[in-house]
Amino acid sequence: QTVVTQEPSLTVSPGGTVTLTCASSTGAVTSGYYPNWFQQKPGQAPRALIYSTSNKHSWTPARFSGSLLGGKAALTLSGVQPEDEAEYYCLLYYGGARVFGGGTKLTVL
Amino acid sequence: QVQLVQSGAEVKKPGASVKVSCKASGYTFTSYGISWVRQAPGQGLEWMGWISAYNGNTNYAQKLQGRVTMTTDTSTSTAYMELRSLRSDDTAVYYCARVGGYQLLRFDYWGQGTLVTVSS
């Protein structure tokens, strides 16, 4: 069974920079896994942030960026705002199936 | 503007079936697909599958094979997800999301979610 692993929790100070990662149990994550990233706040539906590794939607704030880093997919927030406190999920493509990571709870403190 | 509006909350008994709808507006329905994602209380997101609104092709998560069916009605721009033989661990919020691009891998707009409670 394929497992996608994210940091369970991270803490960042307002204005700081933080990188969330997304690893695959099958090996290095490449662009062929078409990583998507989502933000979810309590009681709300998820919101799409990034698709195909690094592409932003029209509503994605400029401070969010996606990349590949050390064999993982990565989401970097630069100049973190208090409203960025949320759960973040990645999604990877496995030749048909898609698998979500377990999520990272980001605290802005 | 693109909108996905889902049907209301459901309470079902174990062994029953549920059918959740997702009505799309603001775009050409057949140019995209719909993915279904669920979230059990206090848990993470689980991908359930997708359906192409263009040709009706589907791809379901292996663990749900045989219990789930996704369909579309292009005349009303509505997608449906039916889950059968419900168990207590199917209790979750069910979301639909629009997907597009290569292999329908680009998620963008999401529905508001539908709570399905399975309880005797």
Side-chain angles (χ1 to χ4, degrees):
Chain A
Q1 181 183 341
T2 302
V3 177
V4 178
T5 301
Q6 299 181 242
E7 297 86 0
S9 64
L10 291 170
T11 301
V12 62
S13 300
T17 296
V18 64
T19 297
L20 290 64
T21 66
C22 176
S24 172
S25 62
T26 61
V29 176
T30 66
S31 59
Y33 285 76
Y34 296 88
N36 279 252
W37 288 93
F38 306 89
Q39 178 192 66
Q40 188 180 35
K41 296 182 178 180
Q44 296 184 15
R47 181 172 78 136
L49 294 174
I50 300 286
Y51 63 95
S52 295
T53 305
S54 58
N55 293 279
K56 299 179 187 182
H57 293 284
S58 58
W59 54 80
T60 303
R63 61 184 180 274
F64 290 84
S65 63
S67 65
L68 297 175
L69 203 61
K72 301 178 185 180
L75 177 70
T76 299
L77 288 71
S78 304
V80 171
Q81 301 297 306
E83 60 266 29
D84 297 333
E85 183 162 295
E87 192 85 24
Y88 291 84
Y89 294 94
C90 65
L91 176 84
L92 299 180
Y93 169 64
Y94 290 90
R98 285 88 163 123
V99 180
F100 279 99
T104 296
K105 180 171 173 53
L106 182 66
T107 301
V108 181
L109 206 56
Chain B
Q1 73 284 18
V2 174
Q3 279 195 303
L4 299 175
V5 179
Q6 299 183 222
S7 48
E10 304 260 14
V11 179
K12 296 292 183 180
K13 293 195 183 305
S17 299
V18 69
K19 193 169 186 177
V20 179
S21 68
C22 171
K23 184 169 176 58
S25 61
Y27 71 96
T28 302
F29 184 65
T30 51
S31 294
Y32 293 82
I34 295 288
S35 235
W36 289 89
V37 174
R38 68 180 181 178
Q39 186 170 37
Q43 302 302 307
L45 303 175
E46 179 184 8
W47 178 78
M48 299 179 67
W50 59 256
I51 181 167
S52 165
Y54 172 71
N55 58 17
N57 286 352
T58 55
N59 188 331
Y60 302 139
Q62 192 170 10
K63 71 174 282 191
L64 297 174
Q65 290 271 3
R67 287 206 302 138
V68 68
T69 301
M70 297 175 188
T71 57
T72 59
D73 181 345
T74 56
S75 68
T76 60
S77 298
T78 303
Y80 298 91
M81 186 284 301
E82 181 180 32
L83 189 61
R84 300 175 293 279
S85 302
L86 289 168
R87 309 186 290 245
S88 58
D89 61 357
D90 291 317
T91 294
V93 176
Y94 289 75
Y95 294 102
C96 62
R98 191 180 80 163
V99 288
Y102 173 73
Q103 295 287 338
L104 302 181
L105 285 163
R106 184 184 70 241
F107 283 69
D108 49 30
Y109 295 90
W110 290 65
Q112 82 276 18
T114 296
L115 175 62
V116 175
T117 303
V118 182
S119 173
S120 54

